[in-house]
Amino acid sequence: MELIITEKDNAARRIADILSGGTYDSSRENGVNVYEWGGKRCVGLSGHVVGVDFPSEYSDWRDVEPVELIDASVEKTATKENIVATLRLLARRAERVTIATDYDREGELIGKEAYDIVRDVDEEVPIRRVRFSSITENEVQNAFDEPDDLDFDLAAAGEARQIIDLVWGAALTRFLSLSAGQLGNDFISVGRVQSPTLKLIVDREREIEAFDPEDYWELFADLTKDDTSFEAQYFYRDEDDNEAERVWEEAVAEEVYETLTERDSATVVDVNRRTRTDAPPTPFNTTQFIRAASALGYSAKRAMSIAEDLYTAGYITYPRTDNTVYPDDLDPDDLLDDFVGHNTLGESAESLLEADEISPTEGDEETTDHPPIHPTGEIPSRGDVSDDEWEIFELVVRRFYATVADAAKWEHLKVVAEVDDHRLKANGKRLVEPGYHDVYPYFSTTENYVPDVDEGEELALSDVELEAKQTQPPRRYGQSRLIETMEEMGIGTKSTRHNTLEKLYDRGYIESDPPRPTKLAMAVVDAAENYADRVVSEEMTAQLEADMDAIASGEADLSEVTDESREMLAEIFASLADSREEIGDHLKKSLKDDKRLGPCPECGEDLLVRRSRHGSYFIGCDGYPDCEYTLPLPSTGKPLILESECEEHGLHEVKMLAGRQTFVHGCPLCKAEDAGEGPIIGDCPECGDDHGGELAIKTLQSGSRLVGCTRYPDCEYSLPLPRRGEIEVTDEHCDEHDLPELVVHSGDEPWELGCPICNYQEFQARESESGSDLEALDGIGAKTVAKLAEAGIEDLEDLTDADPDTVADDVDGVSADRVRSWQAKA
C-alpha cells in the first residue's frame, strides 16, 4: 500500500479525486478522513501536527524566571494527537510513502514532521517527495510521475524559525507580562516579527500626533470656450522653479483673488499636448495580490484565506509566492483558450487571442519555486464557490488577462492661461486606447475634459474661488501598504506577514482599519526602544530571516543560527534586567489608558471597560470596591473606545466590533439614561388574558430595544427591535394579532417593520430556511457552516456544547481558540 500525505484534508480529497479518477472511497480513522483507491491511501494533516515547546518544568510562569528560557532545551510534541496516531497506524501498513505537502519552507517542515513520524514507525520504507504549484490534474500527475527527495535544508530553515520564535516570544512575553502583572488570558505578547511590525505602526501614529498643520490657500476659476467650461487652478514658480499651487501667505492669496475676480477673461499662453503609454501591470505575487484584494474591501487575512481555498480546489496556483515572472512553460494562448466561451470571462479572453503576438509582462522578482499567482484554466461554476470566492477568482483571472494585454494610451492636454502676471492651468486627459483596462477594470479610467485651444486665444473667466486649507498629517498604513512596507524592510515572509497583522489585532495592539495602535502598543514599543531597542529593530529580524535563508541554501546549519539568536536575546535581557519595575509601571498605566472612558459620575474616579468572569463586557469604576458604579454594554461585539466624547457627560463614545454587525453604541451613560418603557401597543399574548399584561416598546440600559411585557420579570415575553432609528407606531393594525404596525426611520428609506409578532415569525422562518443560526456569529460564513455541519455542529446549541479541541481536529482551518471565541459570543 502507498501512503500519500498532504498538508490539509481538502488537499487530500482533491488529490485523491485526481489520481483515482473520481473512484476513491473514504473512511475515518481516529476522526481523520482517509481516502482509498487501487492500493493507495491518502490522508491530510492539519498544518503542523507536531510543535516545539519547552519541557514541562518551564511551564509555571511564576516559578521560572523568563531569562531561564533563553538557554532552555526545546522538545517536539504532538499537537494533533489523533492525526499523529492515524499517520503511525497507516505508516505501519505502507510499502511506500509520498509526501505531498505545500512547496514552501513551512510545507517542507510539515513534510519533515510527517517524515519523522513515519521513520519512527518504519526505518526502511521508501519515502519520496512530490511538489506542485497548482492542484490540477496535469500538474499533480506530472509531480507524481517525477518525484523528488525531501529538502532537509529547507525544512531545517522552517524549524529554526519555530525555535527562534518560541524562545524570543516566550521569554519576552513572560518578562513584560510579569512586570505588568498581566497573567492568564490578558498576557502581553511580544514576537520576533510582530514587534518591529508594531513599531512601524506606532512610529506612524507618533508622526500623526506630532504633526503641526500649516495654513495655505488654493485658488480655482472656471475658463470657458464656446459655452464649454472647465476648471483651472492658479500656480506659480517656487524657488526651485517647480509649479506650486499652495500659497502660504494669506495676503498674497487675497491679492491674486482680487485680481482674478476683477477680470472677465484670460489669455492662453501655452498649450502642451502629449501622449502617455500606460503599461499593463506585472503578474501577481503575494503582496501585490493582497494590495489588489484590499482595494475590493478584503482584509489581508480574508484575501489569503480565499486564495488558499481556490488553490486547493485547483482554480488558481499557489498563492504564497514572491515571483513576478511567468515560467517559460506557461503558454498564455492555451490558458486564454480555456476561458473562451465562458459567459463572464470568455469575451475578454477572445479579444486577447486576436492579438498577433502575446507577450506577458514581467516584474523585477524571479524565483524558481512557485510561479506568480494565476488561474490554472479550471473554472468553477457560480454554484461551486461563494460570491467572495468568485470575486477573488475573477480578480486573479483578470490580472492574468492584464499581463498579456496591450498597453493603454492616454492623451494629455495642458492649457495655461494668464491674467496680468497670474497664471492658471488646466490638465485634461483622455483614454485614447483602453488596452489592458478593457480586461482589468480595477484601475481608474476617469477622464478630465479640456477643450482644444490655441495660444493667444481669449477665454472667459468666471467663478473664482479662494479655498483656505491646512496641511494634513501622514495617513495611517492600510493593511496592504503595511505588508508592502514589511516586504521592503525584510520583516517576515510572504507566508507570515498577513498572519502577523492578525496577531496584532487579536492581542489588542491595534484596532480599526487602517490599523491604529492602542495605548498598550505605544507603551510596549516605547519600553523596548528605551531599554532594548533590538526587540523592535527591523535590522534584527531581517538578519534572522537572512540567516534562515542561509540554512535553506546549505550555507549555515540550524544549531549555529539558533545559538546566535539565543546570544542576541541574552544581550537584550541584560539591558532589561535593571528596569523591570519601571517597565511594569509604564505598561500598567497604558493598559488602563486603553480602557478609560472618563470620570465616574458618582465618585470622580475613572470609568473603565471591564470584562466579567463569563466573558461579557461592562463599564465599572476604578474606585471599586469603594465605588460600585457600573454601566452595561451590548452583548454583541467587542468594545472599542472612540476618540469622540459625549458633550453632556464627558465620556468617550463606544463602538462595538462585531464583524458585519458592528455598530456605534455611543455614550454608555446616555444609553442608560434613555432606558425605560415607551408606548403601550397592545395586550401580551402570553399573560394578557389572565393577568392583564401589556406589550410596551422598551429600551434597555445596554441600548437594545424590544417589545416586552409590562409584567416583566413575572412574564418574560419579548420580541426584538432594531437598535437604531426612530420607531413610529402607526394607526394600521395587524388583523391576526391586533397590534399596530411599526415603521423604523433610519437612513433615507423608512423600514416598514409591520406587526412585531409577524415580523419575528418571518425572521424565524427565514432562519429555518437558511438552515443555520451559526452565521449570526462574526467570522462564520456559509462555507464554515458547511464544514461545521460535517463535524455534527448544525446550530448554536451544538456549538456551545462542543469540545473546542475536538472541533479543531475535525474541521479544517478552524483552531480551538477560534471555537472558544465563537462559544463566548454564542
Side-chain angles (χ1 to χ4, degrees):
M1 183 267 289
E2 178 181 0
L3 173 61
I4 301 169
I5 304 169
T6 71
E7 192 160 320
K8 294 180 181 179
D9 175 66
N10 50 7
R13 185 167 56 249
R14 171 74 177 159
I15 287 173
D17 187 55
I18 290 171
L19 296 180
S20 72
T23 64
Y24 68 87
D25 294 318
S26 62
S27 60
R28 284 175 74 80
E29 296 270 4
N30 300 312
V32 180
N33 291 325
V34 179
Y35 306 96
E36 184 174 1
W37 72 98
K40 301 180 189 294
R41 289 187 176 183
C42 186
V43 63
L45 308 177
S46 182
H48 291 284
V49 296
V50 174
V52 295
D53 204 349
F54 299 110
S56 58
E57 59 263 30
Y58 291 94
S59 60
D60 193 324
W61 288 34
R62 297 185 184 278
D63 289 346
V64 178
E65 280 296 314
V67 70
E68 296 179 50
L69 298 176
I70 297 175
D71 294 317
S73 60
V74 171
E75 59 185 21
K76 294 183 178 181
T77 57
T79 56
K80 303 287 174 60
E81 292 183 0
N82 64 321
I83 298 178
V84 172
T86 301
L87 205 54
R88 294 174 65 89
L89 179 68
L90 296 174
R92 289 191 183 98
R93 310 172 195 164
E95 298 169 355
R96 182 172 73 181
V97 175
T98 301
I99 293 173
T101 49
D102 292 344
Y103 180 31
D104 59 8
R105 186 181 293 172
E106 209 67 19
E108 209 70 18
L109 177 57
I110 292 169
K112 169 65 162 47
E113 293 166 1
Y115 176 96
D116 289 337
I117 293 169
V118 172
R119 276 282 170 261
D120 188 49
V121 172
D122 188 334
E123 295 181 357
E124 302 297 331
V125 64
I127 301 177
R128 61 182 191 163
R129 173 76 159 108
V130 296
R131 299 182 176 89
F132 39 80
S133 292
S134 63
I135 309 184
T136 59
E137 184 170 348
N138 283 342
E139 195 154 349
V140 169
Q141 292 283 11
N142 290 339
F144 275 80
D145 288 342
E146 301 177 9
D148 201 348
D149 295 323
L150 200 68
D151 188 335
F152 290 95
D153 288 336
L154 187 62
E159 189 174 348
R161 179 191 303 284
Q162 276 190 331
I163 295 170
I164 291 170
D165 286 351
L166 170 68
V167 175
W168 276 72
L172 290 169
T173 292
R174 290 196 192 185
F175 177 85
L176 292 183
S177 299
L178 289 166
S179 300
Q182 289 292 117
L183 303 181
N185 292 330
D186 295 325
F187 65 88
I188 299 173
S189 171
V190 183
R192 181 185 61 83
V193 176
Q194 75 181 42
S195 296
T197 303
L198 189 59
K199 185 178 185 312
L200 280 174
I201 300 170
V202 167
D203 282 347
R204 177 55 56 90
E205 197 68 19
R206 288 167 173 166
E207 290 180 54
I208 294 171
E209 291 178 354
F211 184 78
D212 186 14
E214 292 185 66
D215 295 327
Y216 69 92
W217 292 261
E218 290 183 333
L219 295 102
F220 301 88
D222 283 350
L223 298 176
T224 304
K225 175 184 178 178
D226 298 335
D227 297 328
T228 299
S229 296
F230 55 99
E231 187 178 72
Q233 183 174 11
Y234 167 75
F235 75 99
Y236 61 95
R237 293 285 178 180
D238 63 14
E239 296 175 353
D240 299 320
D241 201 34
N242 296 317
E243 292 183 2
E245 294 92 17
R246 296 179 176 183
V247 181
W248 299 100
E249 296 180 30
E250 185 174 11
V252 173
E254 289 180 345
E255 184 272 325
V256 175
Y257 176 74
E258 289 178 9
T259 301
L260 295 178
T261 53
E262 290 171 355
R263 304 290 190 275
D264 58 11
S265 67
T267 305
V268 177
V269 294
D270 186 41
V271 178
N272 182 272
R273 300 175 181 84
R274 65 183 179 91
T275 299
R276 177 177 64 87
T277 299
D278 178 5
T282 57
F284 267 152
N285 62 9
T286 300
T287 301
Q288 290 306 311
F289 162 71
I290 289 173
R291 181 180 184 181
S294 172
L296 298 179
Y298 293 91
S299 69
K301 179 185 178 183
R302 178 70 177 141
M304 287 302 295
S305 174
I306 293 173
E308 286 161 10
D309 286 344
L310 293 172
Y311 156 72
T312 304
Y315 300 130
I316 68 172
T317 57
Y318 193 58
R320 301 177 191 273
T321 177
D322 291 323
N323 203 349
T324 56
V325 179
Y326 291 130
D328 293 338
D329 60 0
L330 175 70
D331 189 328
D333 298 69
D334 287 349
L335 187 50
L336 287 171
D337 199 53
D338 290 330
F339 292 91
V340 170
H342 188 269
N343 59 346
T344 302
L345 302 167
E347 186 177 342
S348 295
E350 291 164 18
S351 68
L352 292 168
L353 285 168
E354 292 174 0
D356 294 334
E357 181 182 2
I358 295 178
S359 180
T361 60
E362 295 183 355
D364 296 330
E365 189 74 25
E366 184 172 12
T367 61
T368 57
D369 52 356
H370 293 288
I373 305 168
H374 65 77
T376 62
E378 296 196 20
I379 310 171
S381 67
R382 292 303 296 268
D384 293 337
V385 293
S386 67
D387 289 345
D388 286 354
E389 288 170 328
W390 177 263
E391 188 171 32
I392 292 297
F393 174 71
E394 183 169 357
L395 172 67
V396 172
V397 172
R398 292 197 172 280
R399 182 61 166 230
F400 167 70
Y401 285 176
T403 63
V404 297
D406 292 333
K409 287 188 178 179
W410 292 84
E411 187 179 82
H412 291 259
L413 172 62
K414 179 181 178 181
V415 173
V416 178
E418 193 172 69
V419 179
D420 292 350
D421 292 330
H422 304 315
R423 293 195 162 192
L424 299 163
K425 64 177 178 180
N427 290 301
K429 64 174 184 175
R430 184 168 66 93
L431 188 59
V432 182
E433 295 179 15
Y436 74 91
H437 291 290
D438 268 347
V439 297
Y440 192 72
Y442 305 102
F443 291 163
S444 173
T445 54
T446 302
E447 299 181 332
N448 183 39
Y449 179 72
V450 171
D452 201 5
V453 297
D454 296 317
E455 288 186 21
E457 192 171 343
E458 291 289 322
L459 303 176
L461 174 65
S462 61
D463 295 331
V464 181
E465 292 184 7
L466 174 62
E467 295 184 6
K469 299 183 178 182
Q470 285 189 323
T471 53
Q472 298 298 307
R475 296 169 62 184
R476 293 187 177 102
Y477 289 110
Q479 289 191 31
S480 60
R481 179 62 188 130
L482 187 60
I483 288 173
E484 283 185 80
T485 306
M486 292 168 69
E487 181 182 38
E488 292 166 4
M489 301 177 73
I491 300 173
T493 69
K494 59 182 178 291
S495 300
T496 62
R497 292 181 187 113
H498 65 283
N499 287 326
T500 298
L501 285 190
E502 201 62 29
K503 287 179 183 176
L504 294 178
Y505 276 112
D506 291 344
R507 292 167 183 175
Y509 283 136
I510 58 177
E511 55 197 16
S512 303
D513 191 15
R516 185 184 75 189
T518 60
K519 295 289 193 302
L520 173 61
M522 305 283 278
V524 168
V525 172
D526 189 46
E529 287 175 331
N530 288 332
Y531 306 107
D533 61 350
R534 294 178 82 181
V535 172
V536 290
S537 164
E538 72 271 9
E539 288 86 0
M540 175 274 296
T541 192
Q543 178 58 49
L544 288 173
E545 295 291 351
D547 289 341
M548 284 180 273
D549 287 341
I551 296 175
S553 62
E555 298 171 11
D557 62 43
L558 183 150
S559 59
E560 178 185 347
V561 170
T562 54
D563 287 348
E564 181 184 337
S565 175
R566 290 177 193 265
E567 290 172 8
M568 192 185 301
L569 186 56
E571 293 174 10
I572 288 172
F573 263 81
S575 304
L576 290 171
D578 296 333
S579 309
R580 186 167 189 161
E581 186 175 343
E582 189 177 345
I583 292 171
D585 290 342
H586 187 39
L587 294 174
K588 288 175 186 176
K589 178 182 180 301
S590 299
L591 283 163
K592 189 175 289 186
D593 287 344
D594 270 331
K595 302 172 183 176
R596 182 181 290 111
L597 276 86
C600 172
E602 289 195 358
C603 74
E605 291 284 340
D606 289 322
L607 287 182
L608 306 174
V609 171
R610 296 189 180 280
R611 201 169 188 179
S612 73
R613 285 175 296 177
H614 306 293
S616 59
Y617 294 95
F618 69 98
I619 293 166
C621 182
D622 196 31
Y624 180 84
D626 296 327
C627 178
E628 296 184 350
Y629 184 83
T630 63
L631 289 169
L633 284 172
S635 57
T636 301
K638 178 181 178 181
L640 169 65
I641 299 174
L642 303 176
E643 294 179 1
S644 54
E645 290 186 8
C646 170
E647 294 182 2
E648 182 178 354
H649 301 112
L651 299 183
H652 285 277
E653 295 187 334
V654 175
K655 184 177 187 177
M656 301 303 296
L657 302 177
R660 289 170 292 178
Q661 297 176 329
T662 292
F663 61 93
V664 175
H665 176 61
C667 169
L669 188 48
C670 286
K671 294 295 183 185
E673 290 178 350
D674 290 342
E677 283 190 6
I680 303 294
I681 62 171
D683 295 332
C684 175
E686 287 200 356
C687 73
D689 291 341
D690 296 334
H691 301 287
E694 295 179 301
L695 293 182
I697 294 176
K698 297 182 177 184
T699 301
L700 307 184
Q701 286 193 346
S702 65
S704 297
R705 297 190 298 189
L706 52 84
V707 170
C709 183
T710 54
R711 295 185 59 251
Y712 177 86
D714 295 322
C715 176
E716 296 185 348
Y717 183 83
S718 67
L719 299 163
L721 288 175
R723 178 177 292 272
R724 294 175 293 281
E726 180 184 347
I727 298 175
E728 176 191 356
V729 181
T730 71
D731 295 332
E732 300 290 328
H733 272 64
C734 172
D735 293 335
E736 181 179 355
H737 302 107
D738 195 29
L739 291 179
E741 297 188 355
L742 306 180
V743 175
V744 180
H745 296 277
S746 177
D748 296 333
E749 294 292 330
W751 174 14
E752 295 183 0
L753 193 70
C755 165
I757 296 179
C758 291
N759 179 270
Y760 188 59
Q761 290 174 344
E762 290 170 4
F763 166 76
Q764 288 178 311
R766 286 195 302 271
E767 287 297 296
S768 176
E769 289 174 6
S770 69
S772 175
D773 54 2
L774 292 169
E775 289 188 65
L777 297 182
D778 177 38
I780 299 185
K783 196 157 190 173
T784 304
V785 166
K787 290 181 180 179
L788 291 170
E790 290 180 4
I793 297 172
E794 297 184 352
D795 54 32
L796 288 176
E797 186 175 352
D798 292 339
L799 179 64
T800 52
D801 291 341
D803 176 66
D805 293 314
T806 302
V807 176
D809 290 338
D810 292 345
V811 182
D812 183 47
V814 173
S815 67
D817 285 343
R818 196 172 173 198
V819 175
R820 292 186 186 97
S821 72
W822 289 338
Q823 290 175 329
K825 293 173 185 175

